[in-house]
Amino acid sequence: MRWLQNERLRQRWVWLKRCRYCRGFGIQSPTDYAFVRYVINQHNPYYAYEEFEGMGLTPIILKKGKLLFRLVNYWQPSAVYVHALSTDFTPFIMAAKRGVAVKPLSERTKGERLVLLTNAAEMDNDLMALLLAEGDERMMWVVEDIHKNTSNRRRWKKLVKAQQTVLTYDLYDVGIVFFYQRRVKQHYLINF
């Protein structure tokens, strides 16, 4: 119970630090604003939310799971590739798109529309270099726990600064990366 109180206090502190980044304030691009406003910070209930509430998950896992549900629903990938996460987000992914495959990261194939789901703590330099080299416009990369500790923050900053990443969203608990080729490099802090 004490852990839950500390988690709520941390969430409130992060929200206060980032309150000026609520609901897409300061984002000039209409497409980026729409993504933040209607996918990341969507507060209206979706059809599967009642099912998720009954799963008995912690508030932060439920929040990340609902975000992943909305991201998969928005992106409509043919597969979601997962790299050794401690949390199983499969129910959220499967509810977002009927028939989507959830596979280990090692089974990914080129040329398909996909979502990569990794944890910053388990992302070494070799894996990051490999995924950056393969990144294209059909890939959305979701990185979990980007601000959990100093080494995770360092990895996230390295990913944001990488030449291949074009559009990045820092949601504090989660980072989202896009590899659009025809866009100007942009990094957004979002109050999520």
Side-chain angles (χ1 to χ4, degrees), residues 27-37 74 167 169 180 183:
I27 297 176
Q28 301 301 315
S29 167
T31 54
D32 297 349
Y33 175 80
F35 179 72
V36 169
R37 185 74 172 92
Y74 165 78
L167 191 57
Y169 296 91
Y180 298 125
R183 297 279 308 267

Side-chain angles (χ1 to χ4, degrees), residues 8 63 65 68 81 83 98 104 110 112 150 160 171 183:
R8 287 185 184 145
K63 187 176 183 179
L68 189 57
Y81 294 96
H83 180 257
R98 194 177 304 256
K110 292 185 178 184
E112 63 181 341
T150 307
V160 169
L171 284 56
R183 297 279 308 267

Side-chain angles (χ1 to χ4, degrees), residues 58-149:
T58 63
I60 190 68
I61 298 297
L62 187 61
K63 187 176 183 179
K64 287 180 187 178
K66 286 180 178 179
L67 172 66
L68 189 57
F69 168 82
R70 291 190 305 270
L71 290 172
V72 170
N73 197 18
Y74 165 78
W75 197 247
Q76 292 293 306
S78 57
V80 176
Y81 294 96
V82 179
H83 180 257
L85 290 174
S86 57
T87 308
D88 185 18
F89 290 109
T90 306
F92 298 98
I93 296 166
M94 299 302 281
K97 184 181 179 210
R98 194 177 304 256
V100 68
V102 180
K103 302 176 183 178
L105 191 60
S106 58
E107 294 180 14
R108 73 191 175 288
T109 57
K110 292 185 178 184
E112 63 181 341
R113 192 169 180 90
L114 58 95
V115 173
L116 294 178
L117 185 58
T118 61
N119 190 307
E122 298 166 352
M123 195 169 50
D124 60 3
N125 289 335
D126 295 336
L127 177 65
M128 188 184 298
L130 177 69
L131 295 176
L132 284 172
E134 292 180 0
D136 64 8
E137 293 188 3
R138 295 178 302 259
M139 180 192 296
M140 176 195 295
W141 188 356
V142 180
V143 185
E144 190 183 19
D145 296 335
I146 59 174
H147 286 279
K148 192 168 190 169
N149 55 41

